[in-house]
Each structure stands twice: as C-alpha cells, then as structure tokens.
Amino acid sequence: GGGLYKIKKFIKGNFFLINGDSFFDINLNLLSNFISDKKWIGCMAIANNKGYEKNDKMNNLLINKKNYIEYSKYKTNFMNGGVYFFKKNIFKFIKNKKISLEKDILNELILKKRIKGIYSPQYFIDMGTTQKLKSLKNNLDNLKEKVAFLDRDGVINKLKPYGYIENFKQFYFLPGVVKGIKFLNKQNYRVIVITNQACVGKGIINEKKLNNIHMKMTNNLKKINNSYIDDLFFSPYYRFSKIKKYRSNNVERKPNPGMFLKAINKWNVDIKKSFFIGDQLTDLEVSKKVGLRFYYKKNISFFEQLNQILKQ
C-alpha cells in the first residue's frame, strides 16, 4: 500500500499491478473486461490454492454471480493470485501511512463489493523463497503456451473475390469465428494470426492501412463478446514489388516458417499442444516444416470445427 502511495502522482489512468515475487500465467485482457461497470474499483486474478494455508495471501475466496469477490465461511480452493487491474480511484483509499494493500485496502473493498474477480486455472507459483524459485526453474514446461494459429483470409474473414481486403468495410467475419475465438480464449489457448499479405508489396495498400484493418478487427471482437487475438504476424512481401524492401523474403512468407518461428520464440509455444488452421496448400506445407498439427478450414461453422478439433 505504501508503495502505491509513492507512485500516485505518476499514474494518469487505469493500471495493472503485479506482484514481483509470484508467477501467474494469466492473460491480462481478462482483468480489464469489466471497465464499463462503474461500481467496481478493481479486478483481482484468482488462482488455485495448492497448499498456501500459512501465508498472507487472501484465501478461501469466492466469486459471486456478478463476478464480485466474497469471503467464504468454508474452505475453498481459491486465493488471490497477486495480479490486479485497478481504476485510478483506488487512490482514494490509500493513505500516507504504513498500510497493507491486502489486509487494509482490498479487505475493505471486498467487504463493500467493489472488487471483481477472474478465476484462471493457469499455472501459479509464489517465488518468494529460494526453494520455490528452484522448483519453477526445474519445471519450465509449465510455462509453455498452447496456441491456436490461424490464417486470416478464408479462415477468419471471407475471401474477397479476385482481390485483396483493402479496408474494413470489405472485412466480414466468417460464421462462428467470433464465438470460436471466445471459445479458444476460455480454453486457455493463445490465439495467433499468421497471414501472407502481398497486397502491401504490390502497392495495393500500405502497412498503415493494413494495421488499421487489424486494429478494427480486434476492436470488433472485443466489442461483440470480449474475445481477443493475442498476436498477429503478417508477411508483406512480393517478389516483383516496385519497393525494394518488399521484393523478397525467403524466411517469412509462407510456406517458409519465419513468422511461425518468431511467434514460437516470443510466446514459448508448446508445439505438441498447438495447431494451425489454414485454407491453402502453403499453410499445410509450413505446418509440416514447423511440426504443427494442421487442419484445413472446413465449410462449416468455425466454432463447430474447433469443437471437433479439441475433442480429438
């Protein structure tokens, strides 16, 4: 609490707060989804309690039907995960004195039903002791991510006949895509888009316009059902481009694996638990090079196809 008071003047808006001595593999997007609700002041990530009975963490928590955190009269398996999203008005409750964020500030706000909670089954460990830090280092597989890699055109959005998507007015989600991406979010898959976009190299649109299309795509997903794409990689290259920097790239453009290798390195991807959905032969070819399970996009709802894939 005292540390928060000291940085008060530097905080200009809503903010994330993360404990420095714990690891919780939760997607931060989940914590900020309640921003339109005026009553709440903060959202707390809730983790599984695996033997943390004798520490200062908040134990025996519940999340009610309106997503507010409550204390249970009985033992539960839920505890504070040490990751928060706060509105700036949290500072109304922080005084210039020795004060505990959990025991004083959060305890009061939970009793007043002003703190919401998001539960995640993701890996959690308190690294506050040498023994637990060593345990984390000896179990690095727990930190790997399972990823649903998706091609864009023909998988996420309808193909434009005889051309490229040049603006968001031409962008239409295919049936089941929005619901399917939300489903992947809930199943703790990272959603990463991998797409060839030679339209940039051909001079049809520039990178700024392409990024604008992708920004509106992600904004619409959030607006419709709070779903999200974790990352997006695109290859703008075309071998006959008039612009030299776009003329050739033997590493990134599919069926070459460059974009995948970047994503795998950045996100610490577990190849065995991940897959790729595409609609072109080049998508199949790059999957073989990387070692990913591959599925051609079927002529059915994207959500329905995902259900079939995850049941295998």
Side-chain angles (χ1 to χ4, degrees):
L4 269 179
Y5 183 85
K6 289 184 177 181
I7 64 167
K8 178 179 179 180
K9 63 181 179 181
F10 301 108
I11 303 297
K12 306 301 181 183
N14 303 330
F15 63 99
F16 289 99
L17 176 68
I18 302 174
N19 286 359
D21 60 351
S22 61
F23 178 89
F24 193 10
D25 192 20
I26 186 172
N27 193 309
L28 296 178
N29 288 293
L30 298 172
L31 297 175
S32 58
N33 281 344
F34 301 113
I35 192 66
S36 59
D37 190 330
K38 294 181 180 180
K39 181 181 177 183
W40 72 280
I41 289 178
C43 185
M44 178 193 300
I46 302 299
N48 282 323
N49 187 343
K50 295 181 179 179
Y52 289 92
E53 295 93 350
K54 295 181 180 180
N55 62 11
D56 291 332
K57 293 187 177 298
M58 293 178 155
N59 296 313
N60 301 326
L61 301 176
L62 289 175
I63 301 175
N64 68 22
K65 293 181 179 180
K66 294 184 177 181
N67 295 109
Y68 284 102
I69 292 177
E70 297 177 349
Y71 290 111
S72 173
K73 296 179 180 179
Y74 308 99
K75 184 177 180 179
T76 73
N77 293 323
F78 301 136
M79 71 177 192
N80 178 12
V83 182
Y84 315 91
F85 181 76
F86 287 126
K87 291 183 178 178
K88 188 182 178 182
N89 59 357
I90 185 72
F91 289 107
K92 293 180 181 179
F93 301 87
I94 300 174
K95 309 300 180 183
N96 186 17
K97 63 179 183 179
K98 185 177 180 180
I99 189 170
S100 166
L101 175 64
E102 291 188 336
K103 294 180 180 179
D104 301 317
I105 302 166
L106 290 180
N107 181 59
E108 176 185 351
L109 293 174
I110 287 173
L111 294 175
K112 292 181 177 180
K113 289 185 169 52
R114 304 292 298 276
I115 299 294
K116 293 212 170 188
I118 288 291
Y119 166 72
S120 174
Q122 295 295 86
Y123 185 67
F124 172 89
I125 186 169
D126 186 331
M127 299 181 293
T129 68
T130 304
Q131 182 181 4
K132 289 177 180 176
L133 181 59
K134 286 181 178 179
S135 175
L136 179 63
K137 290 181 177 180
N138 291 331
N139 294 278
L140 292 179
D141 283 348
N142 289 319
L143 309 186
K144 286 191 173 182
E145 303 279 4
K146 58 181 182 180
V147 175
F149 290 100
L150 308 176
D151 182 34
R152 200 196 79 175
D153 302 309
V155 175
I156 292 178
N157 59 281
K158 293 181 181 178
L159 291 169
K160 180 183 176 183
Y162 312 109
Y164 293 92
I165 303 293
E166 298 178 40
N167 56 64
F168 196 69
K169 290 181 180 179
Q170 301 171 347
F171 189 100
Y172 298 97
F173 286 113
L174 285 168
V177 165
V178 178
K179 185 178 180 181
I181 291 176
K182 182 69 173 181
F183 176 63
L184 289 169
N185 297 154
K186 289 184 175 180
Q187 297 298 316
N188 296 310
Y189 276 88
R190 300 295 187 190
V191 180
I192 298 179
V193 177
I194 305 284
T195 176
N196 283 343
Q197 292 295 326
C199 53
V200 175
K202 292 179 179 180
I204 297 171
I205 61 173
N206 56 34
E207 286 195 48
K208 183 177 180 180
K209 289 183 178 179
L210 180 62
N211 288 329
N212 183 259
I213 292 171
H214 292 154
M215 179 187 71
K216 289 182 178 180
M217 173 183 72
T218 55
N219 286 345
N220 270 262
L221 287 171
K222 184 173 180 62
K223 183 178 180 181
I224 295 170
N225 67 352
N226 271 324
S227 58
Y228 51 86
I229 290 170
D230 293 280
D231 211 343
L232 184 148
F233 296 81
F234 68 87
S235 171
Y237 303 100
Y238 173 60
R239 61 178 176 170
F240 302 119
S241 178
K242 294 179 180 179
I243 305 172
K244 187 176 179 180
K245 70 175 182 177
Y246 295 135
R247 200 164 293 160
S248 64
N249 187 292
N250 295 325
V251 177
E252 292 195 7
R253 181 170 174 80
K254 294 181 293 184
N256 299 306
M259 289 188 286
F260 282 92
L261 296 177
K262 283 184 176 180
I264 290 167
N265 181 62
K266 178 179 178 180
W267 289 94
N268 194 26
V269 176
D270 188 333
I271 297 293
K272 294 180 180 179
K273 295 181 180 179
S274 302
F275 60 89
F276 178 38
I277 300 177
D279 68 330
Q280 301 292 327
L281 178 60
T282 52
D283 296 327
L284 172 62
E285 291 175 354
V286 72
S287 295
K288 290 180 178 178
K289 292 177 181 178
V290 177
L292 275 169
R293 280 182 294 144
F294 176 74
Y295 302 91
Y296 274 112
K297 174 67 178 70
K298 293 183 178 180
N299 190 27
I300 59 175
S301 161
F302 181 74
F303 174 71
E304 184 179 340
Q305 183 174 0
L306 284 175
N307 268 296
Q308 293 176 2
I309 290 172
L310 297 189
K311 286 179 181 178
Q312 293 178 1

